[in-house]
Amino acid sequence: MNQDQYLLRGCGIFNEPGVLGTVNALLLCADDFRLKNRWYNWSMVLGGIVTLSAAFYILCCLYLFIAWIINKYSINKLLKYIGVGIGGSVLHFFFSNYSTVYYRLITAKISRLITTGQSNRNNIELNLAIQQMMSQINTALFGNGYGYTGTHYGVLTLARVLCDIGIVGFVFYFTMFIFVYYLSKGRKVGTIDNSNIFFVIFLVSLYQRPYVFEFFVFFILYSASICIKENVRSS
């Protein structure tokens, strides 16, 4: 996809770069970033890098950091994965040769999120709509109707889901994902393994890609948890 007329970003056939970056990150997390002799995971890494999606970098780094703490990975393994990401980013930057665009798409988003807690997923209009919705008990509980914010605000964020379907629908929204996760975990839902880490990353990804009734989101969650459970069993 052509960005700002002079920078190409990798994208999916049916969607934009941010979606491809998010999906690639989730699939890599589902397979615990196993890169040895797995060409398809390398394709996910390279595909995520060329999307220039900040979500791809944030989700991958967050998963690796949490997994490193919980699973007590060696520091060498963590540095190896981080090195692959940084090296790929530098390589892409070298070929794109447009530092200002790269900064706006990746570095500026991450630094603004860390320093101010603000991101490109909110704006004044949406914040006012949330405040207005919460001021009335009916709209606070049941929202303004699904699709309401889609015709009024341009940002794609979890706050739009809250504004559309209200607190009741919002709780039901997350309950669906928890239920799917529980089905995939089975009786081992209380155990701590990489599927728990993946579920956290999955919930974080919903902040900027809140697809409520998209089948592929539930499929990724369910199949990823099954895949992780099989990897643990075979290891």
Side-chain angles (χ1 to χ4, degrees):
M1 187 183 79
N2 193 289
Q3 180 87 26
D4 294 336
Q5 298 181 350
Y6 49 82
L7 179 70
L8 294 178
R9 297 179 65 190
C11 62
I13 300 175
F14 302 109
N15 221 316
E16 47 92 20
V19 175
L20 180 61
T22 300
V23 171
N24 281 12
L26 291 176
L27 294 178
L28 283 169
C29 294
D31 205 18
D32 195 28
F33 280 81
R34 298 168 189 257
L35 301 178
K36 187 176 181 179
N37 298 326
R38 302 201 180 196
W39 62 267
Y40 44 87
N41 281 350
W42 277 105
S43 68
M44 293 292 173
V45 172
L46 297 176
I49 289 173
V50 299
T51 63
L52 288 180
S53 168
F56 174 79
Y57 293 91
I58 293 173
L59 295 176
C60 289
C61 290
L62 184 61
Y63 176 87
L64 290 171
F65 181 71
I66 297 175
W68 176 61
I69 294 176
I70 293 179
N71 297 327
K72 298 180 179 179
Y73 290 152
S74 66
I75 188 65
N76 291 334
K77 185 174 184 178
L78 180 66
L79 291 176
K80 180 179 68 175
Y81 289 142
I82 293 177
V84 170
I86 294 177
S89 303
V90 172
L91 186 64
H92 184 83
F93 165 76
F94 175 77
F95 283 112
S96 64
N97 200 29
Y98 290 103
S99 58
T100 55
V101 176
Y102 194 88
Y103 175 82
R104 185 175 62 82
L105 290 175
I106 303 294
T107 313
K109 290 181 180 179
I110 297 176
S111 61
R112 184 170 68 248
L113 183 63
I114 294 174
T115 56
T116 67
Q118 298 296 317
S119 69
N120 62 328
R121 296 296 167 181
N122 53 30
N123 55 35
I124 297 176
E125 292 79 9
L126 182 58
N127 293 337
L128 290 175
I130 295 293
Q131 294 177 10
Q132 184 178 4
M133 181 205 74
M134 289 297 183
S135 65
Q136 302 179 27
I137 184 65
N138 185 49
T139 54
L141 290 176
F142 303 106
N144 295 295
Y146 183 67
Y148 170 80
T149 56
T151 59
H152 291 77
Y153 312 102
V155 293
L156 182 60
T157 177
L158 201 58
R160 279 178 50 178
V161 177
L162 176 62
C163 192
D164 284 352
I165 62 181
I167 297 175
V168 174
F170 199 75
V171 171
F172 176 73
Y173 173 62
F174 277 99
T175 302
M176 291 190 299
F177 290 115
I178 295 173
F179 179 69
V180 172
Y181 173 68
Y182 177 79
L183 288 178
S184 64
K185 286 283 289 184
R187 295 182 179 181
K188 296 183 178 180
V189 71
T191 59
I192 301 297
D193 55 36
N194 284 9
S195 62
N196 300 90
I197 307 173
F198 174 81
F199 188 55
V200 171
I201 301 301
F202 177 83
L203 293 180
V204 172
S205 75
L206 293 178
Y207 169 72
Q208 46 86 42
R209 288 292 182 273
Y211 296 111
V212 183
F213 300 115
E214 297 283 352
F215 172 76
F216 84 94
V217 176
F218 293 93
F219 179 77
I220 289 177
L221 174 60
Y222 184 82
S223 59
S225 300
I226 293 294
C227 175
I228 293 170
K229 185 165 61 175
E230 293 299 322
N231 285 339
V232 171
R233 184 180 302 172
S234 60
S235 61

